[in-house]
Amino acid sequence: GGCRERTVQKQGQAGEQAAADPLEALSAKIGKDSTDASLFQERARLYLDRHDPNAALGDLRRAIELNPDQSGLYVTLADAYMQIGKIPSCLEALQKAEKLDPANNEALLKMAEVYLVLQDYTATYSYVKKSLDLDTRNPKAYFIRGYALMETGDTAAAVRNIQNALDQDQNYYEAA
């Protein structure tokens, strides 16, 4: 009897581990309701966290079919394109997100970051300004602007902006 009890106990533990995997749990939910775009987006984010952008893209395409007017889906789509290095597709997705919701600060800041990487500082400043117009206390906006200023040689203004990022959030990790 003791050996059989241990086998049953081990199977129970394995089942608990499988259920604890958020990816499997989401897949099960999607299996029950394949019309909820937010479930596909949530699973896509998990795929991105696990560095599987192609799987994320499949889920995001489905989510966008289900809910084409949701700005946040295009921000997540941009993240997937960024992971695979498709910068033009990333920008296109962010532009769509901004068009659907001009107040999507996450999209605006990601646009600023992409333009920063592309060294288009005029566009970087433009998106930072749009972001700060929505939220004057956003540390990430100040950090991005500070970084752009540093890249263009305006060290004093860069330091002021990075200090402003820290003033908004002392734990802001990118500025440190």
Side-chain angles (χ1 to χ4, degrees), residues 80-102:
Y81 283 132
M82 187 58 103
Q83 263 193 28
I84 56 177
K86 290 190 171 182
I87 304 299
S89 297
C90 173
L91 281 173
E92 203 175 291
L94 290 170
Q95 287 163 348
K96 177 78 173 173
E98 182 191 13
K99 184 179 177 190
L100 287 169
D101 178 8

Side-chain angles (χ1 to χ4, degrees), residues 2-141:
C3 184
R4 182 171 159 75
E5 285 174 14
R6 274 188 237 124
T7 304
V8 170
Q9 187 179 15
K10 279 186 180 177
Q11 287 173 343
Q13 288 172 342
E16 287 165 20
Q17 286 172 347
D21 179 12
L23 198 56
E24 287 184 31
L26 269 172
S27 295
K29 282 184 187 176
I30 288 170
K32 292 176 188 162
D33 179 7
S34 61
T35 61
D36 185 344
S38 68
L39 292 176
F40 285 99
Q41 182 182 23
E42 193 177 338
R43 189 169 71 176
R45 284 189 182 124
L46 283 174
Y47 282 133
L48 290 174
D49 289 345
R50 295 174 185 202
H51 303 286
D52 190 352
N54 291 317
L57 285 170
D59 273 0
L60 290 164
R61 286 186 188 107
R62 179 68 182 129
I64 288 168
E65 279 175 28
L66 293 167
N67 192 354
D69 297 328
Q70 207 248 320
S71 177
L73 291 174
Y74 295 93
V75 174
T76 308
L77 181 64
D79 291 339
Y81 283 132
M82 187 58 103
Q83 263 193 28
I84 56 177
K86 290 190 171 182
I87 304 299
S89 297
C90 173
L91 281 173
E92 203 175 291
L94 290 170
Q95 287 163 348
K96 177 78 173 173
E98 182 191 13
K99 184 179 177 190
L100 287 169
D101 178 8
N104 185 329
N105 215 346
E106 186 182 7
L108 297 174
L109 286 173
K110 285 184 189 242
M111 288 281 266
E113 284 180 298
V114 172
Y115 282 118
L116 180 64
V117 169
L118 295 174
Q119 298 181 334
D120 181 342
Y121 302 114
T122 303
T124 300
Y125 296 133
S126 170
Y127 281 100
V128 166
K129 182 185 180 327
K130 288 180 183 183
S131 172
L132 287 171
D133 286 347
L134 294 171
D135 177 8
T136 60
R137 297 181 50 80
N138 190 316
K140 188 170 190 165

